[in-house]
Amino acid sequence: MVKQAQFETDVIRTSDGPLEITFLGHGTLMLAFGGLTIHVDPYSDVADYAQLPKADVVLVTHEHSDHLDLDALAKIRTPQTEIVLNEAGAEEVGGGLVMHNGDAQVVKGLQIEAAPAYNIIHKRSNGQPFHPKGAGNGYVITCGDTRVYIAGDTEAIPEMEHLADIAVAFLPMNLPYTMTPEMAAQAALAVGARIVYPYHYGSTDPSKLVSLLSARKDIEVRIRKMA
C-alpha cells in the first residue's frame, strides 16, 4: 500500500490475515484488510487524498464537514466504491448505502454494523446536543475473529453495553463535542475492548486515558497522532 511517510501504521493480526490501520489524523483512518481499502471519514485537512489508495469502501459516520469532505471523497472514489453513511450524509453525497443505528450489512464481503453515536451531556448554547440521538453512526467492522469499533462522534452511551466481542475500539475525546477522558474510560470498559485508541482528541490530553485505565492490565491504550 502506498502511504505518505508521516503516517503511523499498526498491524492487527486476525484469523483472516492482517488488518492494517493507518492513522491519518483527527477522526480519519484508512484500513486495509482482505484486499480491501477502507477509508473512514475522509478529510482533506489531514492528508492529500490524491496520493492515497482508492477506496473499495468508505465509512462516513455523519455529515459534519470534518467527517464528510466531498473533495477528499471525490479523490478516492471510483465507480466501484461502496459508500456507507447516514441519511444526512447521503443527501450531501447524492446516494450511497444508508445505514441506521442497529443495521447490519455485508459490504464487499465485510460485515459492518451501525451503532448509535450521540451526546447526552454536551450540548450547544440552545440546548441541542452536538450530535443528536439517531442521526449519526459508529461502526463495528468484523475482520475474521477481530471486531473493530469506530465510535464516531459520541459520548459514553448505554448502547455500548450491548456491543459484543470488541477487540479494538476507537474512542473520540475532542471536548466539548464528544467524550471526556473519564467518559472514554467508561466506554472502553463498556465495550470490553482489548486495544483502545483515543482518536479525534483535539486539545484533550490522551495520556489521561492511559492513567485512568492503568489498573486494567487486560486493556492496552495506544496513543497515535489523531488530534
Side-chain angles (χ1 to χ4, degrees), residues 10-91:
D10 283 2
V11 177
I12 307 290
R13 301 298 172 186
T14 84
S15 61
D16 285 351
L19 166 64
E20 185 177 285
I21 304 171
T22 300
F23 306 90
L24 299 182
H26 201 63
T28 306
L29 303 163
M30 182 173 64
L31 314 180
F33 177 74
L36 298 175
T37 297
I38 304 124
H39 284 270
V40 180
D41 285 351
Y43 183 36
S44 296
D45 280 14
V46 299
D48 178 2
Y49 276 84
Q51 301 300 315
L52 294 178
K54 301 296 185 185
D56 296 295
V57 178
V58 179
L59 302 179
V60 176
T61 59
H62 62 293
E63 69 280 3
H64 290 170
S65 60
D66 57 337
H67 296 264
L68 174 53
D69 177 337
L70 295 177
D71 183 60
L73 181 60
K75 291 176 179 175
I76 53 173
R77 188 178 187 179
T78 75
Q80 290 74 43
T81 301
E82 290 274 11
I83 304 174
V84 179
L85 67 186
N86 66 337
E87 282 191 9
E91 291 177 5

Side-chain angles (χ1 to χ4, degrees), residues 155-187:
E155 293 175 7
I157 54 177
E159 292 89 342
M160 289 178 177
E161 297 281 355
H162 305 300
L163 297 178
D165 302 320
I166 300 299
V168 179
F170 287 86
L171 302 176
M173 295 200 314
N174 60 322
L175 294 175
Y177 306 104
T178 59
M179 301 194 214
T180 63
E182 290 77 14
M183 289 176 179
Q186 179 187 346

